[in-house]
Structure formats: structure tokens, C-alpha cells
Amino acid sequence: MSALNNTTVAVSSSHYDSLDKSQLNQFERVWVWLFENNSYPDLTIGMLFFAVMELSLIARLAMYWVFDRIPAMQKYRIQQSLGRQPPFADVVKNILFSTVVFQIPIALTFTQTLSSLNANVATVPLPSLPMIAAQILWFLVAYDFSEYWVHRALHWGPLYKYVHKVHHEAQTPYGLIAEYMHPVEFFAIGICVSLGPMIYGAQSFVPFFTGADWHDYHHYAFVGNYSAIFRVWDRVFGTDVGYNRHQEKLAKMRAQKAE
């Protein structure tokens, strides 16, 4: 994985003309169909990038929306009381604003930057599955490490008061709250998401994932548990101590209740 940006080359008309399309797999044929004779490949891939992000978000939100309306699922709530919540209308307006003003431009700028690095993603053959898996792993690690530090910095006095406090208006987080934040924070997180593909020659493996209870504790206690995907950052920098003590306390309470 020494050259994350070398799996593709710059697009030209001769690139597609010289292809033996009979040797392409089904995914590669779809890729050629999308980009052959396409005058705006960066715009196309940018909008695909945006569409994938939004569809994945909507799918996850829809799943939890359904679960939330099934009485039998209520016992699985992490916090039984909803606590303080921003008005739902404000949450929707905030997310729509950030999506239009920041998310779409970031998606388009992201693909423009990749093109400037000679990493145009509109070409074939596509990378092998092991290469794709390795790249995705690296992208997750690069995002998670950078987002850990951004999130931790946002809990510093003035940044928390004027920026991150918006996100913490929800004492009990739910799906939409993931994108309910100050525009400055939204922009910073967008940069973190885009960081991985811009860095070359990195290899890493971090096996410990966070989960819902991990970030729920962050909203419960307001400090600690800054990691978004991998718990290792909080473990390394000592910001999971409160969470571990809280889990020990809950375990003792459950044991006493069972006696």
C-alpha cells in the first residue's frame, strides 16, 4: 500500500479507446459507462461520493427510526430518559444548511484535489479487492486519528463554548445528532474524512472499535471518549479512564441487582 494514489492514471480519450472491454468485470464496465465521453469526471465522482454518504446515513437513520417505534426494542436504549434535546426542526435545518454549504463543496473539492495528485478515480482497471480493503482500512485509521484530535480540541474552553457546544445540546444522542453541529465543526470533520486519500505510504492496523455506548458515555459525561471509530486513541492518550470506571460501576450494580 505504498502508493494509495497510483491505482489509477489520468483520464484521456485514448485511455478508453485502448481498453479491451471484454476483459473488464461488471463493476469496471459500469465505471466505463459512467466516465467514457464524460466531460466532467470530477463532478460525477464528487456527486457519487456525496450520494453514497447521504444514502448510507439515511439507511442507518431509517433503521433506527423503525427500531425506536417497536415497543420491544425500548429495553435496549442506553439511556432510558431522553434528557435535554434541541428542537427537531432546528436539527433538520442545521443539517440541511451544512449539507448544502459545506458537504457538497467538500465532496467536489476532494475529487479535484485527487485529480491534481494524478489519482483520477475515473479510470479502469479498478484496484484489486485486497488493495481496496487495505485502502479503506487506512482511510478509516487516518480519519479516526485526525478526528480524535479535532474532537478533543473542540472540548478546549473557547472552542467548546462557541463551536462544539452546539453538538452537545443533545444530552442523549440519536441518529441525526451525528451531523448536528456548528458549521466550523462540520467543515473540520469534512477535512478529516478527506485526509486519508491525501496521504501516501501509510500502513496501520487498529482493531478496537467504539460503538454506540462509547459515544453515549461522551454525551453523558461531556469529556473523554473522543474517538469516533477505534478506541485505541482514547486508550493511548488516557481519555477513556472515566468510561472504564463508569463501566466498572455499572457492572457492580448489575451484580448486586442479580443477587
Side-chain angles (χ1 to χ4, degrees), residues 28-242:
E28 289 170 335
R29 291 176 185 175
V30 171
W31 215 242
V32 171
W33 174 78
L34 281 171
F35 295 105
E36 190 172 22
N37 302 317
N38 187 336
S39 300
Y40 304 99
D42 290 338
L43 176 62
T44 301
I45 199 65
M47 295 313 296
L48 283 173
F49 178 44
F50 171 73
V52 169
M53 289 192 297
E54 291 306 303
L55 288 174
S56 63
L57 175 65
I58 291 170
R60 286 181 287 127
L61 291 179
M63 178 180 68
Y64 287 112
W65 184 87
V66 171
F67 286 167
D68 197 42
R69 279 149 182 79
I70 301 176
M73 301 298 292
Q74 298 305 307
K75 63 183 178 181
Y76 297 108
R77 282 182 174 275
I78 299 171
Q79 294 188 44
Q80 292 300 316
S81 60
L82 288 177
R84 185 181 65 254
Q85 297 290 337
F88 184 75
D90 290 351
V91 173
V92 173
K93 286 188 291 185
N94 172 280
I95 293 172
L96 287 175
F97 174 81
S98 295
T99 297
V100 173
V101 176
F102 290 102
Q103 196 166 13
I104 294 176
I106 287 174
L108 298 178
T109 303
F110 170 72
T111 53
Q112 289 280 349
T113 304
L114 286 180
S115 293
S116 70
L117 295 171
N118 196 32
N120 198 301
V121 293
T123 57
V124 291
L126 298 177
S128 65
L129 289 178
M131 175 59 76
I132 291 174
Q135 289 180 346
I136 290 174
L137 176 61
W138 159 241
F139 297 160
L140 287 173
V141 172
Y143 158 72
D144 205 50
F145 181 75
S146 58
E147 204 272 344
Y148 168 88
W149 283 108
V150 168
H151 190 182
R152 188 169 174 178
L154 287 169
H155 277 262
W156 172 67
L159 285 178
Y160 180 83
K161 181 178 180 180
Y162 296 108
V163 179
H164 193 50
K165 190 175 181 179
V166 173
H167 181 65
H168 275 280
E169 288 176 9
Q171 191 173 8
T172 306
Y174 58 93
L176 280 178
I177 295 300
E179 294 200 8
Y180 177 69
M181 61 188 73
H182 191 281
V184 171
E185 180 175 356
F186 197 98
F187 179 78
I189 297 301
I191 298 301
C192 293
V193 172
S194 305
L195 188 63
M198 312 302 175
I199 301 176
Y200 319 119
Q203 300 185 45
S204 187
F205 176 71
V206 187
F208 306 108
F209 288 88
T210 54
D213 68 322
W214 187 263
H215 194 62
D216 187 87
Y217 175 81
H218 174 77
H219 279 256
Y220 171 79
F222 284 83
V223 293
N225 287 26
Y226 300 107
S227 299
I229 298 175
F230 303 107
R231 299 186 181 205
V232 67
W233 310 126
D234 287 290
R235 179 62 54 84
V236 169
F237 298 109
T239 48
D240 64 346
V241 176

